[in-house]
Amino acid sequence: MAQQHLEPTDATAGAATADALAGYLRAQATEFLRALRQHRENGGAAAGGSEASVAAARALRRSARRISASLHTFRPLLDPDWSERIRPELAWLSGTLALEHAYEARLERLLLALHRLSGAMVPAQADLVAGSRAGSHADLVAGNPGTPAPDRGNLTVGAAKAGALLDRQLTLARTRAHSTALQALGSSRFHAVADNIAVLASEVPLSATAQATPLHPLAAAAEDRLKDAVTALPLVTAGHPYNAEALIHGLSPDPSPHPQDAPWHQVRLLLRLHRYAREVLQDAEIVDVRLLAAGEALDRHRDASEAAAAAAQAARTPRIAPATAYALGVLHADQRHEVEAARFAFQQAWQKETVSTP
């Protein structure tokens, strides 16, 4: 039976107008400027800086994503030249600032998985793994498969060298991402973006027909695009206990991403657009638990997919020892099973019903 979650109000209740969009954009622009000031005061780029600097960089990305998504979903209400000019710049900024944290989180994920699989794990690492994998374990108990137990003797031999190889590769990538973020934040391109956001905080460039254009049909179109993309997903495959095709492709000589993953990544982006459109209509006061759970599952899916790709890439390093290659292969298989667990969790979350109350 589908589970039900109560929702305080209907997403289409009321008559949202251009004023609601303008207020949302001004609020997000103000958050962006506040985060930028905090970031400068704490003097860091991202994960390499202080905790306050990391939080400020995260807030910058958060505001940039919401502004960019709103410009995309509600573009008929905005000045087209300004909107099309600033959207790619916001995507560039958000992506640049996200890279360093992504590499750091990927390395931590892979090293913890290696420790878990090889059996060499200290209590602190065990606690961290338990927290990060709580959702996946819940999925497995519900019926989704786990990773087959590896040969721990052979795995332990190569785990240390595999971890050292991953550490070298991903730390180098994180260092380069840190330098890129520093250069970006000091560039004229970023200052132009900040100037545009400063203007947006006080004046939203609406189109001539904005006041006569309702928001709900545009938000409904974003929801329809999401539903169509979800309908095209292989949700039946997501409920199966084993997906060998993904594992075989990941260990092939072809370094391109697995084609199974791309539709899921697209759904993740469309779900984000839908959530942000709901924030505009509801003044960000209502959280749909169903969408939140689905989004978290897709975030885990992306993280596991990228971690599996990193393990496969490391396994392609020339002249590595067989034991190291074996450990990386087991690690890749483990992360692909995490991908399957995340897909199963999304399937379970998406099929729940949302009931609105008056």
Side-chain angles (χ1 to χ4, degrees):
M1 179 182 296
Q3 298 183 21
Q4 297 181 340
H5 295 286
L6 297 182
E7 192 175 319
T9 60
D10 191 342
T12 59
T17 64
D19 292 337
L21 174 61
Y24 181 82
L25 288 174
R26 283 195 297 268
Q28 293 302 324
T30 301
E31 287 296 322
F32 181 96
L33 297 175
R34 181 182 297 112
L36 178 59
R37 183 178 66 252
Q38 293 174 348
H39 188 273
R40 287 172 173 170
E41 290 174 352
N42 289 283
S50 64
E51 183 177 347
S53 176
V54 173
R58 187 179 299 114
L60 275 174
R61 299 200 311 268
R62 179 182 183 276
S63 298
R65 287 198 308 266
R66 281 165 169 75
I67 294 172
S68 178
S70 299
L71 299 185
H72 174 78
T73 302
F74 302 106
R75 56 185 176 276
L77 285 84
L78 299 157
D79 178 83
D81 293 336
W82 176 85
S83 178
E84 292 304 316
R85 186 175 66 252
I86 191 64
R87 269 185 54 218
E89 298 303 289
L90 289 170
W92 161 76
L93 176 62
S94 179
T96 301
L97 293 180
L99 275 179
E100 182 183 356
H101 172 73
Y103 284 124
E104 183 182 42
R106 193 171 307 151
L107 175 60
E108 181 182 32
R109 179 189 186 95
L110 289 169
L111 293 182
L112 286 172
L114 269 178
H115 282 294
R116 171 175 48 80
L117 292 167
S118 65
M121 182 187 297
V122 298
Q125 291 168 330
D127 294 340
L128 182 54
V129 172
S132 64
R133 291 171 53 88
S136 298
H137 280 301
D139 302 335
L140 302 182
V141 171
N144 214 38
T147 306
D151 182 341
R152 290 192 182 275
N154 290 335
L155 180 57
T156 303
V157 173
K161 290 185 177 180
L165 177 60
L166 289 167
D167 184 67
R168 287 196 303 272
Q169 292 183 347
L170 293 177
T171 298
L172 176 61
R174 183 171 70 89
T175 301
R176 289 173 175 170
H178 181 79
S179 299
T180 300
L182 284 176
Q183 293 172 2
L185 292 174
S187 67
S188 58
R189 183 179 182 182
F190 171 75
H191 289 298
V193 174
D195 290 343
N196 276 283
I197 299 301
V199 172
L200 182 63
S202 58
E203 181 181 357
V204 178
L206 298 173
S207 65
T209 60
Q211 294 300 332
T213 305
L215 300 185
H216 288 300
L218 298 173
E223 183 176 10
D224 290 340
R225 289 191 292 271
L226 169 62
K227 290 180 177 179
D228 290 343
V230 172
T231 301
L233 288 177
L235 290 181
V236 175
T237 302
H240 284 179
Y242 185 71
N243 184 358
E245 182 183 350
L247 290 173
I248 293 171
H249 182 280
L251 295 175
S252 72
D254 183 6
S256 62
H258 192 280
Q260 281 192 9
D261 293 345
W264 294 85
H265 296 331
Q266 179 65 15
V267 167
R268 177 177 172 272
L269 296 178
L270 292 174
L271 178 60
R272 178 176 286 176
L273 289 175
H274 173 51
R275 283 179 46 227
Y276 295 164
R278 287 171 58 92
E279 288 184 4
V280 174
L281 299 182
Q282 302 171 345
D283 196 23
E285 293 179 353
I286 299 173
V287 176
D288 188 326
V289 178
R290 170 175 170 263
L291 293 181
L292 184 62
E296 290 174 348
L298 291 175
D299 285 344
R300 295 201 304 273
H301 175 275
R302 178 207 55 187
D303 293 344
S305 172
E306 292 178 348
Q313 182 63 33
R316 298 186 183 99
T317 303
R319 297 182 299 277
I320 60 174
T324 305
Y326 173 77
L328 290 169
V330 172
L331 181 60
H332 171 268
D334 174 75
Q335 292 304 302
R336 288 309 307 184
H337 277 283
E338 289 289 332
V339 168
E340 296 303 314
R343 291 179 183 180
F344 183 78
F346 172 81
Q347 178 199 42
Q348 297 296 101
W350 185 257
Q351 291 177 348
K352 293 177 181 178
E353 295 179 3
T354 301
V355 177
S356 300
T357 58

